[in-house]
Amino acid sequence: MKLGAPILLCMDLQQEFVVPGRPWADPEGEEIAEICVTVLRAAREAGWTIIHSQLHRGGPMLDGQGLHQSIPGCEPKPGEVLLRRAGISAYAHPELDSIMQGATSGVVMIGFSAPMSLTTTLYDAEDRGQPLKLLEEACGSAEVGDWSAEHTRGLCIATARKLNRSVTRDDFADVFGVRIPHEMHLRTLAKSRLRLVP
């Protein structure tokens, strides 16, 4: 871990959440994964601390046949932190809390799955008073019951905004100096924003 460097928390960048037909796959998963790859590459180039939080195979949302492998382009590299956890929240791994206590330059979270891992991690960070924010354009989701992935993504983003824990692509560039190409845009995110604005 690089002292004083911003942290990129990569949540569940695993194929289970991208491959069509899987129970927790986002219909826009490939596009969101592409954004995550771009953000991860830029954060590496900028010297950020990279933390990968991944679900154990056989744990929640990943049954014995679950695709636990990393999304291509999002594989942990030597020197990066890899935390495999059994619970939903990133904080289910006991080492994350102590790592986050040393975060002095901010923490940005990207990845999957909005209705489960991302939202739970946001609440846990709020409980601990730790400086974690969700990058809206890199928020993968899933269908839950009658709720579409678009709807659950919107709820996660709305929660992050209510907690003052969201950043957009432009915020990310202004605050952290990492630029996400503007041609990367989610149609479903645009629709979610229309519904969330009062």
Side-chain angles (χ1 to χ4, degrees):
M1 182 167 165
K2 305 173 186 76
L3 292 176
I7 293 173
L8 183 69
L9 177 60
C10 301
M11 286 294 296
D12 301 337
L13 294 180
Q14 294 167 273
Q15 294 182 33
E16 182 73 10
F17 305 100
V18 176
V19 174
R22 297 302 302 164
W24 294 98
D26 188 322
E28 301 289 343
E30 290 183 11
E31 189 172 5
I32 295 165
E34 185 180 341
I35 294 171
C36 291
V37 168
T38 299
V39 173
L40 179 54
R41 183 185 306 123
R44 284 169 169 159
E45 290 172 359
W48 287 35
T49 293
I50 311 297
I51 301 173
H52 300 268
S53 180
Q54 296 185 351
L55 288 163
H56 274 298
R57 187 173 189 170
M61 299 190 290
L62 276 179
D63 61 25
Q65 303 301 313
L67 302 177
H68 67 284
Q69 303 89 340
S70 296
I71 294 167
C74 297
E75 300 90 349
K77 290 192 171 183
E80 297 177 350
V81 178
L82 172 59
L83 304 176
R84 294 197 189 275
R85 66 189 201 283
I88 299 294
S89 169
Y91 288 92
H93 194 289
E95 289 183 31
L96 182 66
D97 197 30
S98 60
I99 292 171
M100 295 283 279
Q101 286 177 16
T104 57
S105 299
V107 182
V108 175
M109 178 171 63
I110 64 172
F112 299 84
S113 163
M116 304 292 283
S117 299
L118 299 180
T119 301
T120 307
T121 301
L122 283 170
Y123 281 122
D124 282 349
E126 180 73 9
D127 286 346
R128 291 164 171 80
Q130 294 177 348
L132 179 145
K133 292 185 180 283
L134 172 72
L135 179 58
E136 293 184 6
E137 286 85 352
C139 176
S141 196
E143 296 177 358
V144 178
D146 293 334
W147 291 356
S148 67
E150 178 186 340
H151 183 74
T152 60
R153 183 187 348 273
L155 288 173
C156 182
I157 291 169
T159 298
R161 290 177 182 175
K162 281 267 192 189
L163 296 173
N164 195 27
R165 290 183 173 275
S166 75
V167 291
T168 65
R169 169 180 33 217
D170 293 334
D171 299 329
F172 196 64
D174 292 343
V175 175
F176 297 105
V178 176
R179 303 215 170 270
I180 303 168
H182 273 278
E183 60 270 15
M184 290 185 165
H185 180 71
L186 289 173
R187 295 182 302 278
T188 54
L189 179 59
K191 291 176 188 173
S192 295
R193 281 183 173 163
L194 289 175
R195 279 207 299 270
L196 295 171
V197 175

